[in-house]
Amino acid sequence: MAQHDDDGARATQPHRGPDSGHQSPHHQVLIIGGGNAGISLAARLKRYRVRGIAVVDPSEQHLYQPFFSHIAGGTAKAESAVRPQESVIPKGVTWLRDAATGIDPESKTVTLGSGRSITYEHLVICPGIQKNWDGIPGLQDALDSAHGASNYSIDLAVKAWRLLSTLRSGTAVFATPDGPITCGGAAQKPMYLACDYWRSQGVLQDIRVVLAVPTQTVYGVEIVDEELNRKIAEYGIELRCSTELESVDAGTHTATLRNNADGSSEQLQYDVLHAVPPQSAPGWIRDTGLADDDGFVAVDRSTLQHVTYSTVWSLGDAAGTRNSKSGAALRQQTKVVAKNLKAVLDGHSPTQQYNGYGACPITVSRSTVVLAEFDDARTPKPTVPGWKGLAKERRLTWLVERYGFIRLYWYGILKGWA
Ligand SMILES: Cc1cc2nc3c(=O)[nH]c(=O)nc-3n(C[C@H](O)[C@H](O)[C@H](O)COP(=O)(O)OP(=O)(O)OC[C@H]3O[C@@H](n4cnc5c(N)ncnc54)[C@H](O)[C@@H]3O)c2cc1C
């Protein structure tokens, strides 16, 4: 038995495992996705004494994705980014180990992959973003080959460090796709970590490093661009702006880069290709009638309540907000959704507003970080108002990001306290 909801007579045990399928199919708050957003929200709602919460997620593992960059760059081990999902489900919350496949907001029903249907009073949709590994011709073959890797999957991140750390000469290509992606700056992080490592090994000058970004500047926020351009010059990286990976020929190790500004193409033979897959909203959301034009959940960007159905909410990477998708953004969103949902459950109107904040700590060396903080208009939004110092390369931010945030994540954010 695994129904441990503390609002009913049956609820006497702490959470120990996934739902066995014998419980009530109705939940006061049903959360689709037990990732960063879903678990933080469930924990916070528990703290606000909301009862009848269930989380639907098929995954046995909970992943701390920000550490994938450290794994790919050789500054953390894979084990530190993974915990059993069971261990992060808040006590008193039901875990339904299944995948949501459909939603009928009229009858307030969610269909699961197992064929079961469950109903809700309020629904929170946060299944993250979809990584389209086959979205670039030849990319999947390249990643399956001995020369391709990516920090957007934990296994490929482990492989990335194996490839980058053993490279002594040749060409390394790092590419970021256009369109919405989670933590846009993450693609660059293993590159700077590798360059710093190659410099320490005395081989940096023998490695041609090419970075392709779809944006007109390296990051798209002026103060951050200044710092990154300085590091790019320091490491001798060749920067290609307005440029995307168009296709890959895994057999000949050839990456074709397309410049979207002038339409030109360039072919590069690589020894290591580190590529981020194109990303999109999970495809099944579009069929629910709850999506915006881009397929993400159509929420009011301030309250995070659905624009049509007041019992539907969304946050995190799947939400149709305009901020840079990141854990830092959804940390703010979690507080907004939790407070607004609690208010509505208590018969009040939502009052909390999300301000579009997002952030990305960019590891520009193996001991320093540039912290990019900005809103959904890409205007700097520093944590310390009026002080842009955190957007400069700093040792302090490295210490906080490498050692502090991960503890904050497991022991504060996922517990509903931070
Ligand atoms: C390489 C990388 C580096 C990053 N670095 C940073 C960083 O430095 N700082 C930062 O703030 N952010 C960073 N991020 C972004 C951050 O990890 C995400 O923004 C955050 O994890 C999004 O949380 P989420 O809950 O929306 O999605 P996720 O954490 O991805 O969780 C989604 C969950 O939904 C589940 N799910 C999927 N489909 C279904 C379904 N149909 N039914 C039920 N469950 C489903 C999945 O199993 C998963 O558990 C990084 C991301 C990556 C990939």
Side-chain angles (χ1 to χ4, degrees):
M1 290 291 288
Q3 166 67 41
H4 310 303
D5 219 347
D6 55 3
D7 56 340
R10 291 170 299 157
T12 50
Q13 305 164 345
H15 183 93
R16 283 289 177 271
D19 164 79
S20 59
H22 303 301
Q23 293 76 31
S24 159
H26 186 77
H27 301 278
Q28 165 131 294
V29 178
L30 182 62
I31 301 174
I32 297 177
N36 186 347
I39 299 299
S40 338
L41 181 72
R44 193 165 277 266
L45 289 172
K46 280 293 299 174
R47 213 157 66 65
Y48 295 170
R49 302 193 181 283
V50 173
R51 298 174 168 190
I53 306 168
V55 173
V56 183
D57 196 312
S59 177
E60 296 275 3
Q61 294 185 324
H62 187 99
L63 302 171
Y64 179 59
Q65 297 181 89
F67 249 40
F68 289 11
S69 307
H70 280 292
I71 296 164
T75 44
K77 297 278 180 221
E79 306 83 78
S80 55
V82 188
R83 293 212 172 163
Q85 182 74 301
E86 189 176 343
S87 71
V88 301
I89 302 284
K91 191 177 163 187
V93 168
T94 301
W95 173 25
L96 304 163
R97 195 164 60 89
D98 213 327
T101 54
I103 302 166
D104 178 358
E106 294 293 341
S107 63
K108 297 191 181 176
T109 304
V110 172
T111 313
L112 304 179
S114 60
R116 269 206 295 167
S117 290
I118 43 176
T119 51
Y120 59 82
E121 291 300 312
H122 282 267
L123 177 69
V124 186
I125 308 173
C126 46
I129 202 161
Q130 183 172 291
K131 293 159 188 159
N132 302 317
W133 296 100
D134 53 5
I136 296 174
L139 177 59
Q140 187 62 67
D141 288 343
L143 295 172
D144 290 342
S145 79
H147 299 269
S150 174
N151 60 340
Y152 275 65
S153 118
I154 193 161
D155 293 339
L156 289 172
V158 171
K159 183 182 175 191
W161 180 238
R162 210 169 54 236
L163 298 184
L164 295 170
S165 61
T166 50
L167 191 68
R168 289 290 173 271
S169 63
T171 300
V173 176
F174 294 81
T176 307
D178 200 5
I181 65 168
T182 185
C183 198
Q188 299 181 35
K189 299 182 196 182
M191 177 189 69
Y192 300 118
L193 293 172
C195 285
D196 197 13
Y197 176 77
W198 290 327
R199 183 167 58 185
S200 74
Q201 302 297 301
V203 297
L204 180 61
Q205 69 282 357
D206 300 323
I207 298 174
R208 181 183 183 199
V209 183
V210 179
L211 169 64
V213 294
T215 39
Q216 290 175 6
T217 62
V218 63
Y219 193 73
V221 176
E222 196 177 341
I223 185 168
V224 179
D225 287 341
E226 283 168 17
E227 283 298 88
L228 297 186
N229 283 331
R230 187 174 57 75
K231 297 304 290 187
I232 282 169
E234 185 183 311
Y235 293 128
I237 295 165
E238 294 177 33
L239 173 63
R240 309 275 195 276
C241 291
S242 305
T243 300
E244 279 182 82
L245 182 63
E246 185 175 58
S247 62
V248 194
D249 182 336
T252 58
H253 314 175
T254 307
T256 302
L257 303 181
R258 184 185 63 242
N259 183 316
N260 293 326
D262 62 17
S264 63
S265 282
E266 174 186 19
Q267 294 203 318
L268 285 174
Q269 276 219 309
Y270 61 83
D271 294 280
V272 176
L273 173 67
H274 183 282
V276 174
Q279 294 161 46
S280 62
W284 63 272
I285 290 180
R286 200 177 279 282
D287 301 330
T288 62
L290 295 167
D292 63 17
D293 290 345
D294 298 323
F296 292 94
V297 184
V299 285
D300 177 284
R301 288 176 205 157
S302 297
T303 62
L304 304 176
Q305 192 172 30
H306 193 266
V307 291
T308 310
Y309 295 93
S310 61
T311 55
V312 176
W313 308 77
S314 182
L315 75 166
D317 290 355
T321 49
R322 289 291 169 265
N323 56 280
S324 164
K325 295 181 184 298
S326 63
L330 77 81
R331 195 170 153 212
Q332 311 286 330
Q333 295 173 355
T334 304
K335 294 169 193 166
V336 171
V337 174
K339 285 186 177 159
N340 284 344
L341 184 43
K342 171 72 174 149
V344 171
L345 287 169
D346 291 345
H348 307 299
S349 297
T351 54
Q352 300 295 310
Q353 302 208 327
Y354 170 56
N355 65 5
Y357 175 88
C360 181
I362 305 169
T363 49
V364 292
S365 79
R366 302 178 84 78
S367 59
T368 54
V369 155
V370 167
L371 181 62
E373 294 182 288
F374 49 92
D375 65 15
D376 49 11
R378 291 191 95 77
T379 305
K381 216 164 184 59
T383 296
V384 185
W387 186 59
K388 294 180 182 166
L390 291 177
K392 299 281 175 196
E393 178 183 10
R394 284 187 189 278
R395 170 88 177 135
L396 173 68
T397 25
W398 167 275
L399 294 173
V400 172
E401 198 270 334
R402 171 61 185 81
Y403 301 102
F405 280 176
I406 187 159
R407 286 176 176 77
L408 185 71
Y409 186 76
W410 296 123
Y411 304 112
I413 292 172
L414 293 189
K415 305 283 182 201
W417 292 106

